[in-house]
Amino acid sequence: MLNLSNTHRIWAEIDITSLKHNYRQAARLSGNKKVYAVIKANAYGHGAAQCAEALISEGCRSFAVASCEEAIKLAESGIDAEILIMGAIPAERAAEMAEKNISITIVSLGHAKQISAAMSGKSINAHFKVDTGMARLGFGCEGAVEGIVAAANLPGIQAKGVFSHFAAASIAEEREFTLSQYEQFVYICASLKRAGLESLTRHCSSSDAIIGLQTSIDNAIRPGIMLYGYSSFDIAPLKPVMSLRAVVAQTKIVKKGESVSYNRAWRAPEDSKIAVVCAGYADGLLRSGSSRIEMIVEGQRAQQVGTICMDMAMIDITGLKGVKPGSVATIIGQDGSECINADEHAERCSTIPYEALCSISGRVARHYY
């Protein structure tokens, strides 16, 4: 635990050793297939460039992001590796991506034609996205093979990969649906091979599928949330990477029946001692967690009370020992024998750890160790 209360109101601690450990688990579970480390959304809030640099030291040479802006920022930060944009880019930006040696995703034959027309004699590395059941981006399964083959033969397009994404790989009751998605992907990959596209990188497994589904047609994986220490399964020994801590600015007594914060949504059931913590929804505390989340302060759990504000949140420290201005409140992480991970924090906010981590805003300083 880093105590930065003398210099910061709120900060995140990023444990690079745990990040590297999780990467090794992903590689091991996949049988050492090629790894596209997913570092979109600023590496799920952990810092894309810093995480990429750490993963490169573990042998990772390929990264996946969501947009042109994310790819450019990563490349300009000095990351010398393959960068794949998994979202659909505007055709007008294709030549720019080609110049920076950034790979793109093509989601339909029409999209491919637009990309080809915009290349002006250049060529770009492309992966083809197939929609096997997400009803999101990608070639529909019916006609996908013909469409991808046609796209791959357009001027300026270098076919490098094909991929899909599972809709419910973490849900046991949906395993039949997940397997049907995989079977469609297997059929498409085999058909593309017969059509002459033999050397494509094939990837369909993100974190939950890496852990919970055995696949053989793919020769690459896309670990995302598991890199940062979380999964729907308990099979892999993952380690949370981020801790989130903030400073107690003030303590005060609130009399029985008096209210705390906006809309008077919480009233003291008895004379209570309240601590004001320098963390709010502009920092990434989800307002939906108001009066539901807990924090750890001086090694003791405390209930958050009242509506979470933009820059502050209040906790009930009645009966707790040693809490004073300058004490450190842990929102996510461990303090003494107590621990709140992103799973618990997210559940109390009626969401998932992905959102809880990605919501940590840019004004929260990240410290790496």
Side-chain angles (χ1 to χ4, degrees), residues 159-366:
K160 294 296 183 180
V162 59
F163 70 105
S164 190
H165 190 65
F166 294 116
S170 64
I171 302 174
E173 293 79 8
E174 296 291 352
R175 187 170 180 82
E176 185 176 343
F177 182 80
T178 300
L179 291 174
S180 73
Q181 282 193 267
Y182 180 60
E183 289 167 2
Q184 290 182 84
F185 186 65
V186 168
Y187 173 79
I188 288 167
C189 289
S191 299
L192 290 173
K193 185 175 181 179
R194 287 194 296 271
L197 295 175
E198 298 182 4
S199 58
L200 296 178
T201 300
R202 304 176 298 275
H203 46 110
C204 61
S205 292
S206 55
S207 295
D208 284 335
I210 292 167
I211 297 172
L213 184 69
Q214 297 298 317
T215 59
S216 57
I217 192 65
D218 50 344
N219 52 19
I221 57 170
R222 299 190 311 270
I225 193 70
M226 72 181 296
L227 292 177
Y228 312 106
Y230 297 94
S231 169
S232 301
F233 300 97
D234 296 326
I235 299 172
L238 303 176
K239 298 180 179 180
V241 174
M242 179 190 288
S243 298
L244 181 64
R245 311 190 199 274
V247 178
V248 172
Q250 187 178 14
T251 64
K252 58 182 59 183
I253 300 298
V254 174
K255 297 292 187 180
K256 180 179 179 178
E258 292 181 344
S259 60
V260 170
S261 196
Y262 290 116
N263 305 325
R264 308 190 71 197
W266 185 87
R267 301 181 187 227
E270 58 183 357
D271 290 355
S272 303
K273 191 172 185 180
I274 301 297
V276 181
V277 179
C278 297
Y281 59 77
D283 302 298
L285 268 68
L286 299 176
R287 201 166 179 268
S288 60
S290 295
S291 294
R292 299 175 63 191
I293 66 171
E294 292 184 346
M295 301 183 194
I296 310 167
V297 59
E298 301 295 345
Q300 307 155 95
R301 281 189 177 240
Q303 179 71 46
Q304 189 277 321
V305 294
T307 303
I308 291 172
C309 309
M310 183 179 288
D311 312 301
M312 288 170 278
M314 280 62 82
I315 57 175
D316 185 354
I317 58 169
T318 306
L320 302 190
K321 298 178 180 179
V323 182
K324 58 188 181 299
S327 290
V328 175
T330 295
I331 301 157
I332 297 173
Q334 185 153 358
D335 179 2
S337 61
E338 292 286 350
C339 181
I340 297 172
N341 62 27
D343 280 324
E344 177 185 342
H345 181 77
E347 184 177 1
R348 290 176 180 269
C349 296
S350 299
T351 187
I352 55 177
Y354 298 77
E355 184 180 24
L357 295 171
C358 290
S359 295
I360 307 304
S361 74
R363 77 176 190 176
V364 176
R366 271 73 167 171

Side-chain angles (χ1 to χ4, degrees), residues 51 83 93 97 107 170 234:
C51 289
I83 301 172
R93 301 201 68 178
M97 296 304 104
V107 300
S170 64
D234 296 326

Side-chain angles (χ1 to χ4, degrees), residues 36-66:
Y36 283 93
V38 180
I39 54 173
K40 62 181 179 176
N42 198 29
Y44 294 39
H46 293 68
Q50 295 87 346
C51 289
E53 184 177 349
L55 293 173
I56 284 173
S57 72
E58 287 294 311
C60 185
R61 293 294 179 266
S62 301
F63 298 95
V65 297

Side-chain angles (χ1 to χ4, degrees), residues 86-169:
M86 295 189 295
I89 74 163
E92 293 77 7
R93 301 201 68 178
E96 177 189 1
M97 296 304 104
E99 288 175 0
K100 297 179 182 299
N101 198 31
I102 292 169
S103 301
I104 66 165
T105 292
I106 290 176
V107 300
S108 69
L109 182 54
H111 187 219
K113 290 177 178 177
Q114 292 174 345
I115 297 290
S116 177
M119 289 310 297
S120 302
K122 299 183 176 69
S123 63
I124 191 164
N125 293 334
H127 290 226
F128 303 102
K129 177 74 176 289
V130 180
D131 177 13
T132 57
M134 273 288 286
R136 207 168 62 173
L137 287 177
F139 289 79
C141 287
E142 186 175 348
V145 174
E146 295 81 0
I148 291 171
V149 170
N153 286 315
L154 289 171
I157 293 178
Q158 298 294 318
K160 294 296 183 180
V162 59
F163 70 105
S164 190
H165 190 65
F166 294 116

